[in-house]
Amino acid sequence: RFQQQARNAILRTLPYRDDPAAAIVSINPANGAIRAMAAVTPGKRGNQFNLASQARRQAGSTFKTFVLAAAVAEGVDPDSTSYVSQPFTYQPDPLSEPWEVTTYSHEYLGTVPISRATLSSDNTVFAQLTLDLGPDKVAAMAHRLGVRSNLKTKEGVYVPSLGLGSAGVSPLDMASAYATLAAGGVYSEPMAIRKVVLPDGTVDTDAGWGKAERRRVIADWVADEVTEILEDNMTQGTGTGASLFFNRPAA
């Protein structure tokens, strides 16, 4: 049922043959169980490539959550720490291409706290925050939360644009990492198989199928602080279109 609902959600949003391919992953934060993993490639049937786990695409602004988590873990107060929202250019090496950072709307907030910049998904603030933290710390936080894709460039380095989602990751990566935040900072290894029944009808209990592998990876107060800001984003930020119209937590 969950699998069909996930597929229907894609088809309702992208119903045409020339629409892009899409994938959805839903994970239970309590144990890492994959409730749905669906993908649709319009115009193609029988695609054996798993877009949800094998495809790598730029995460864009959804990656800013990991920058925020890294900052909070370092002791940064997102409500009292401010940056100037404005276009800027980063070029540490005069021989390299400059990195010119703007917002999507080309509108700027001036001096703004990190929490407010999150609600407007301000590229310029998060680029500065990534530079101050160091992209290696942002990558470390993403991996700690559950991202398993390689976040380095082909030259083998972490670049500042990583904080704005320039690295390729899978939908499974993102669902797993966000589930860690939803679980208060406890990571669960994504689990696709609940049980295995052998040909004679007995259940294989030796391999540990369906047993959750969980461990705390960040402090609960870090996860709570980040989640609180993401909850605000559902009501007064860029995430209002995804807001749920019934009484339950959403971030």
Side-chain angles (χ1 to χ4, degrees), residues 99-215:
W99 184 38
E100 297 180 351
V101 184
T102 61
T103 63
Y104 180 78
S105 65
H106 297 286
E107 296 176 353
Y108 302 93
L109 302 171
T111 302
V112 62
I114 295 170
S115 54
R116 175 66 186 86
T118 304
L119 303 191
S120 60
S121 192
D122 194 301
N123 292 339
T124 65
V125 169
F126 272 85
Q128 295 173 75
L129 182 56
T130 301
L131 287 167
D132 285 348
L133 291 168
D136 55 329
K137 286 191 176 179
V138 174
M141 176 56 71
H143 287 315
R144 200 182 312 165
L145 292 174
V147 173
R148 295 292 169 258
S149 297
N150 179 19
L151 300 176
K152 292 181 178 179
T153 64
K154 60 183 179 182
E155 290 79 20
V157 297
Y158 297 118
V159 293
S161 60
L162 172 69
L164 304 186
S166 63
V169 294
S170 71
L172 180 60
D173 278 340
M174 299 303 288
S176 177
Y178 270 77
T180 301
L181 292 169
V186 177
Y187 167 76
S188 297
E189 182 77 22
M191 177 172 55
I193 300 174
R194 187 170 58 191
K195 67 178 179 179
V196 171
V197 181
L198 301 175
D200 63 1
T202 61
V203 177
D204 179 6
T205 58
D206 297 331
W209 301 110
K211 293 182 181 178
E213 297 182 22
R214 311 190 76 207
R215 64 180 183 275

Side-chain angles (χ1 to χ4, degrees), residues 2-84:
F2 287 140
Q3 191 75 358
Q4 189 58 53
Q5 287 175 346
R7 183 176 172 82
N8 289 345
I10 294 174
L11 293 172
R12 280 196 306 269
T13 307
L14 301 166
Y16 303 111
R17 288 177 61 87
D18 58 350
D19 279 334
I24 288 178
V25 178
S26 175
I27 288 179
N28 184 348
N31 56 15
I34 299 173
R35 311 304 298 274
M37 180 186 284
V40 174
T41 305
K44 295 184 180 179
R45 291 182 175 273
N47 184 15
Q48 296 298 301
F49 183 77
N50 189 339
L51 289 170
S53 64
Q54 295 176 290
R56 299 292 183 271
R57 299 290 185 271
Q58 290 182 325
S61 291
T62 54
F63 210 88
K64 291 173 183 170
T65 293
F66 308 144
V67 184
L68 178 61
V72 173
E74 289 287 309
V76 175
D77 184 342
D79 293 323
S80 63
T81 305
S82 297
Y83 283 85
V84 178

Side-chain angles (χ1 to χ4, degrees), residues 227-250:
T227 300
E228 184 177 338
I229 294 172
L230 297 183
E231 287 175 345
D232 290 341
N233 196 45
M234 295 287 281
T235 58
Q236 52 185 307
T238 57
T240 54
S243 184
L244 302 176
F245 298 103
F246 41 89
N247 187 26
R248 61 166 294 169

